[in-house]
Amino acid sequence: MAVHAGKPTPVAQEPGLEEPPDTGATGSGTVGGSVGGSGDRHRLTALQGLSALSLDAMASVAYGPESIVLVLAVAGAHGMGFTLPVTLAIAALLAVLVASYRQVIAAFPDGGGSYAVARRHLGRRTGLVAAASLILDYVLNVAVSVTAGVAALTSAFPSLHDDRVGICLAVLALVTAVNLRGVVDSAQAFLVPTVLFVGSILAMITVGLFRDGPVSTASAAGHASALGEGATAVGALLLLKAFAAGCSALTGVEAVANAVPSFRAPAARRAQRTEVALGALLGIMLIGLSVLIGRFHLQPVEGVTVLAQLADASFGHNAAFYVVQFATMVLLALAANTSFGGLPVLMSLLARHNHLPHVFALKADRQVHRHGVVWLALVSAVLLVFSGGDTNTLVPLFAIGVFVGFTICQVGMVRHWYDERPQGWRTKAALNGFGALLTGVCAVVVTATKFTEGAWLIVLALPLIVLAFERIHRAYTEIGERLELGRVPQPPHRSRSLIVVPVSGLSRLTCQALTAARSLGDEVLAVTVTHPTAEDRQAAEALHRDWELWKPGVELIELSAETRSPGRPVSAYVRGLARTHPDAQVTVLIPETEPAHLWQRLLQNQRGSVVAHAVRRDTDAVICRLRFRITAVAEPARPRCPRTGS
């Protein structure tokens, strides 16, 4: 087995404030730039963007219309007659949001959606509120989507009900693994389920429009009706509550604007096409399902979804019915992918603005913000375990954040039009202002109606997240001031260099360490830590004898310690050197072996890590860790370090 030494790697002593790497397209020089590069193959086309970033919005047609129906059902058959008008109002709001986010994409190609809009036009703190609301919505979307999909599965197979938490975590692990391979891979993997779901819903609507009545009501047979009786009027408050409940179908509309840098060049144009396609498909499905609800005089029943009843009424209780149920189940489970596409990009933008750790701005080879993906998966897993895999525990927390983000974004776009004043800006500002009014009302109504059901957690979490952003930003600012970032530093000068090398015995590793140290510094000091026991004293005396025989030209200094840990004695010695040589640069060079196989690291004593931790904690010395690689490949002959007779 041959060995060779690596180069010493400096380890910084203080957390630096580095500028995170650009998150733009390869070769573009700007985020979401217009110039493509070799990285474009890991970016989205418009169609791939639809499958990667629209699953949340598409899947919401499974529970959006049902939310409207369940609210209006309190007023009986008379209330059910308002299903289509309420849906049309939601579709109008959807059109406003799509038009607004098309403008957001054009004006903010770096991504970030409502955060980017608010930061520029409403101030930094308002932008942080928008970002916090989006983070909450994205995290909850993962948990709600996975639990809803698994709930559909356990409804079909009741024997799996007790294992729903494990199944939820398995689905989450699958979605996470696919996203770690890249956003394009996730889009390709989820394209077929998306097409199957959208195709089955559109087919169901088309077939249902040609029916004079329901073909089958088998799915609802034997289930108690949830329809109220005796109501002859519908109040404005009930309609407002139904409108706010149905607006849950709009979650995910902002995801495309948040993830513009994930698209191929020209990124903004492709993202705009995706946004329009998403809005058109979502609007058609929502309106079509509402028309069928009225056409078939559907009544909500306990234990059966509205979508299942509509599939039964349009297709009959046959294979097509089960296809719709299966596609719905799969898409609900995979709707979490929208969060994996949008949140890591948003976190990257926050990191570039020093509101999150800079590690979230880093990208892997496949244009993946892996740290953001992993963080999202871990937090979502905690929520899944906390909720016990129960959708009803999480739903009251859902959608509040997105309405806050919608409202802030709309208000910010009103300010945008007022500042820019392009042709027709008054009409555009009025449209955004109307949208802000609607989404603001929705945010208030949803929060008020669900406050005691758990929405108070969101009201509490939102300011706490903003405070965390501010604390991180303040820490980066303080570090930047200490490092004098943005200023021209003084000319570099040469100072005397003292190199301290901890050793525990003679070996080729010791030779390579002293060779590297002598090439780096003016004076090299080898130190060894001994414990006052008979056994350790004998080992220390043997080391001194071998050292004298070897004659490396470096003084060996013995440090006595009451414990066997080498960290504190070495750090204390380094502190003493710093006091006695205030003008010298003290460096601690720690030699370590790097085994050929990963499992062999378990065999190491980790002395180097212990020394490095102690020196980093107690001193301002520079730390260099010399990696001495051990490989199974024989090396060519080269000069060897001298050996002793021992």
Side-chain angles (χ1 to χ4, degrees), residues 150-455:
V150 173
L153 175 65
T154 56
S155 297
F157 303 98
S159 60
L160 298 176
H161 186 267
D162 292 339
D163 300 320
R164 62 186 184 276
V165 174
I167 298 173
C168 285
L169 294 176
V171 172
L172 177 61
L174 173 64
V175 176
T176 304
V178 173
N179 278 276
L180 285 174
R181 288 188 54 82
V183 67
V184 172
D185 283 353
S186 70
Q188 293 172 344
F190 302 144
L191 182 59
V192 172
T194 305
V195 171
L196 178 63
F197 176 79
V198 173
S200 62
I201 297 297
L202 293 179
M204 182 181 71
I205 293 172
T206 302
V207 172
L209 290 175
F210 287 95
R211 304 288 191 190
D212 294 329
V215 176
S216 170
T217 58
S219 61
H223 294 268
S225 174
L227 195 67
E229 296 180 359
T232 58
V234 177
L237 184 60
L238 184 66
L239 291 176
L240 195 61
K241 188 176 180 180
F243 176 79
C247 279
S248 61
L250 302 181
T251 58
V253 172
E254 78 290 348
V256 177
N258 288 335
V260 178
S262 297
F263 286 85
R264 293 183 185 177
R269 191 177 306 170
R270 290 183 188 274
Q272 286 178 321
R273 292 173 186 168
T274 303
E275 186 73 54
V276 171
L278 168 60
L281 286 173
L282 182 57
I284 291 171
M285 289 191 290
L286 289 175
I287 295 173
L289 293 176
S290 296
V291 170
L292 292 187
I293 290 171
R295 189 178 186 85
F296 296 140
H297 304 288
L298 183 143
Q299 296 184 10
V301 297
E302 297 178 0
V304 181
T305 65
V306 168
L307 195 61
Q309 291 188 65
L310 290 177
D312 202 14
S314 294
F315 292 130
H317 209 73
N318 50 29
F321 168 82
Y322 288 103
V323 168
V324 174
Q325 294 304 102
F326 175 76
T328 303
M329 176 190 71
V330 173
L331 202 75
L332 277 169
L334 299 182
N337 193 66
T338 297
S339 295
F340 283 97
L343 182 57
V345 178
L346 174 62
M347 295 178 73
S348 170
L349 197 58
L350 286 164
R352 295 178 63 202
H353 293 155
N354 296 332
H355 294 297
L356 281 179
H358 286 172
V359 69
F360 289 110
L362 300 178
K363 272 190 176 183
D365 293 339
R366 291 174 173 264
Q367 302 298 318
V368 183
H369 296 286
R370 287 185 176 174
H371 292 89
V373 170
V374 171
W375 180 90
L376 175 58
L378 292 176
V379 175
S380 301
V382 171
L383 280 177
L384 290 173
V385 173
F386 170 77
S387 66
D390 182 22
T391 307
N392 294 328
T393 304
L394 298 168
V395 165
L397 311 178
F398 192 44
I400 296 175
V402 75
F403 286 131
V404 173
F406 281 162
T407 304
I408 292 175
C409 184
Q410 298 287 322
V411 173
M413 288 307 294
V414 172
R415 181 67 180 270
H416 172 76
W417 298 126
Y418 181 80
D419 292 341
E420 301 294 331
R421 302 197 181 190
Q423 186 176 3
W425 70 272
R426 286 187 174 86
T427 302
K428 296 177 180 178
L431 188 65
N432 289 130
F434 180 63
L437 177 63
L438 292 179
T439 55
V441 169
C442 288
V444 173
V445 172
V446 173
T447 303
T449 56
K450 296 182 178 181
F451 188 83
T452 57
E453 300 176 32

